[in-house]
Amino acid sequence: MFRHFDILFTTESLFIYSYKIMIEREQIEMDVVFVGAGPANLAAALHLKSEIARHDELIDRGIKHGRKIGEIEIGIVEKGSFVGAHILSGAVMDPKAIRELMPDFLEQGCPVDTVVTEDAAWYLTENRKINAPIVPPPLKNKGKYILSLSKMCEWLGEKCEEAGINVFPEFPAAEVLYDENDRVIGIRTGDKGIDKEGRPKPNFEPGVDLLAKVTVLGEGSRGSLAKQLMARLGLMEGKEPQVFSIGVKELWELPAGRFPEGKVVHTLGFPSDTQTYGGGWVYGMKDNIVSIGYVTGLDYVDPNIDPHAEFQKFKTHPAIAEILEGGKMIKYGAKTINAGGYWTMPKLFADGVLLVGDSASFLNGQRIKGIHTAMKSGMLAAETIVGALEHEDFTSKTLRHYDEKVNLSWIYDELHPVRNFHGAFQKGRWSALINSGLQFLTKGLAWGFMPKEHHVAGHERMAKLTESGKWQTENGSRYSNVPFDKEYTFDKVTDVFHAGVSHDEDQPSHLHVLDTEICATRCVEEYGNPCQRFCPAAVYEMEENPGTGRKELKVNFSNCVHCKTCDIADPYQIINWVTPEGGGGPNYKGM
């Protein structure tokens, strides 16, 4: 198979290589290109359009001096088959940002599901539920909105199109384009119609070069272009490593009256061990639907952990099983969360480019909220772009004002006091609860007096099997042999079916394993091939090779739900997630 990193000089590979470098690509010039149609970029594009109109109106009225900007070309590229197809969240939204973007968002038809009317925090032991008499202040959500983030993004996408913004679904951004000085000048979209051997098919269409004065990366957690950009331009220098969690979610239809509409429950404890960051949720929606899920920190130590199995185990707890009894699972999904917060935010700008939303660690981990901060980051990016357009300067000299705007906004006021929250949990649950309580009282100081809790990247924290005997002794087989009864609990393949996953199998795998020999030798001995467990979609399996008599890696890329867990959690960092052909992946409509 053709690999970008390994070209064999055969006639066939030379042909493939030559088409890659000789093909003529259409170039489309735009003013601003947004990569990813998530809440950050959709809010940014809408705000940019309105801010330009406001800027020009103030000049016309003589209130402001400067150069009018006029009409510009704005494009949003999205790898999903429609806007919202790959969007997944719990989700309870703080409406702070959308009220700034669109004060009459409810009147305009924003598809919120219901208003939160009741909060609860449960601590779960193996068989008991302890209902906290006082809900911790960060988990109070009364008056906020339960919604499907997929539906909301679909609606925002429609608003963008109504505003004259170009929205391009099924156009995955495959690479960042640079000039000779490493200034970002746009992006290249992925080729279509390539077979699994890397050769053009009859329906081949080359990707397009979208050239832009400013490119905004809002790809969500572990964005593939953001990852490339951070490495090339050193945007993580002097920063703490980004750390991630994975949320595994199902929608259930319950018997009438089983769980109150508007009730929000967050849980801690079972089934996570005390050294693993994790917790569950149950949100009551309209029409007897509940959103239920479990978050597992991808900075866990025990290599035997399986986040999907953790979620299935969660549903067997008596308090959760009682809710689900007689119900029916109707949808499934999984997505990673950039959980590190303030200390792990990269440099947010470089020549020609800005980073927004989850790609740039804007999540408030203590509140488990990131929609509002993502949208606000996009709006501040838009305001920065207005200034760049006015002065016709798209270098860091002007785009650095984005960083200043973030630190002068309520984003800083919200994220700085919780800057040490996730780092505290890398020392274990009990000390973290004490530490986070002190942080709440001291505006974020670790243990009440230290400025910083250091983060360790998840792939570096994972213990080898020889080092994890204590975990196996403590946990026994709790990560294996979870019974899948097809009533409360489901295997990964069944869940993937309910995620509506679809990929053309006659295309190159978008999961590049850079050295499969490591998988068959070192990894099986050192970690027991954890990719089989940390992937929530049964993409990776070790299959016996009759010729060699050993187990070798098989990649079922067509199962992929685009969560990026493998790119994050692999202990050798040899799995590189890149965008597949546009339109492939899960269908999270309504999730």
Side-chain angles (χ1 to χ4, degrees), residues 5 16 28 95 108 137 157 178 249 267 287 293 340 384 422-423 432 453 471 483 508 517 540 542 582:
F5 52 83
I16 296 169
I28 300 176
Q108 289 206 42
Y178 303 88
K249 171 185 175 180
T267 77
D287 302 321
T384 305
H422 190 87
E453 284 280 5
W471 305 105
E517 189 65 17
Y540 301 94
M542 299 301 292

Side-chain angles (χ1 to χ4, degrees), residues 214-241:
V214 181
T215 301
V216 184
L217 300 185
E219 305 166 281
S221 176
R222 192 68 159 196
S224 52
L225 296 196
K227 176 185 168 183
Q228 296 174 28
L229 187 82
M230 290 176 198
R232 178 160 176 163
L233 302 184
L235 302 186
M236 291 302 296
E237 289 178 8
K239 308 288 186 176
E240 294 282 300

Side-chain angles (χ1 to χ4, degrees), residues 291-335:
S291 164
I292 181 169
Y294 199 82
V295 171
T296 299
L298 290 176
D299 48 1
Y300 56 77
V301 178
D302 184 352
N304 296 296
I305 285 179
D306 180 329
H308 176 271
E310 291 285 78
F311 174 46
Q312 301 307 315
K313 190 100 173 174
F314 171 68
K315 292 184 293 176
T316 67
H317 190 279
I320 306 301
E322 183 181 16
I323 295 170
L324 301 180
E325 184 180 1
K328 177 185 177 184
M329 189 268 286
I330 54 177
K331 293 279 280 186
Y332 169 80
K335 200 79 169 176

Side-chain angles (χ1 to χ4, degrees), residues 134-316:
I134 300 174
V135 175
L139 297 181
K140 289 184 177 179
N141 292 287
K142 196 170 183 178
K144 298 179 175 57
Y145 296 98
I146 301 172
L147 51 72
S148 158
L149 188 57
S150 171
K151 284 183 181 178
M152 179 177 162
C153 286
E154 191 173 10
W155 173 76
L156 285 172
E158 293 168 359
K159 291 293 181 185
C160 286
E161 290 181 325
E162 290 171 9
I165 296 163
N166 303 291
V167 181
F168 304 109
E170 298 192 25
F171 275 80
E175 60 183 288
V176 180
L177 300 177
Y178 303 88
D179 69 9
E180 63 278 4
N181 298 312
D182 267 355
R183 179 175 71 91
V184 174
I185 57 171
I187 58 100
R188 174 170 293 167
T189 65
D191 298 336
K192 296 182 178 181
I194 304 293
D195 72 16
K196 60 184 177 182
E197 301 300 329
R199 297 170 300 206
K201 295 189 285 192
N203 64 338
F204 171 72
E205 292 180 26
V208 176
D209 288 350
L210 292 175
L211 306 181
K213 296 168 182 173
V214 181
T215 301
V216 184
L217 300 185
E219 305 166 281
S221 176
R222 192 68 159 196
S224 52
L225 296 196
K227 176 185 168 183
Q228 296 174 28
L229 187 82
M230 290 176 198
R232 178 160 176 163
L233 302 184
L235 302 186
M236 291 302 296
E237 289 178 8
K239 308 288 186 176
E240 294 282 300
Q242 293 190 330
V243 291
F244 301 84
S245 299
I246 177 171
V248 185
K249 171 185 175 180
E250 292 170 351
L251 286 183
W252 280 65
E253 184 178 2
L254 302 183
R258 175 62 55 77
F259 193 84
E261 177 185 325
K263 183 172 182 175
V264 164
V265 174
H266 289 105
T267 77
L268 189 66
F270 178 86
S272 291
D273 63 68
T274 58
Q275 296 300 310
T276 301
Y277 180 82
W281 79 82
V282 186
Y283 300 157
M285 304 176 75
K286 285 180 180 174
D287 302 321
N288 300 303
I289 303 296
V290 295
S291 164
I292 181 169
Y294 199 82
V295 171
T296 299
L298 290 176
D299 48 1
Y300 56 77
V301 178
D302 184 352
N304 296 296
I305 285 179
D306 180 329
H308 176 271
E310 291 285 78
F311 174 46
Q312 301 307 315
K313 190 100 173 174
F314 171 68
K315 292 184 293 176
T316 67

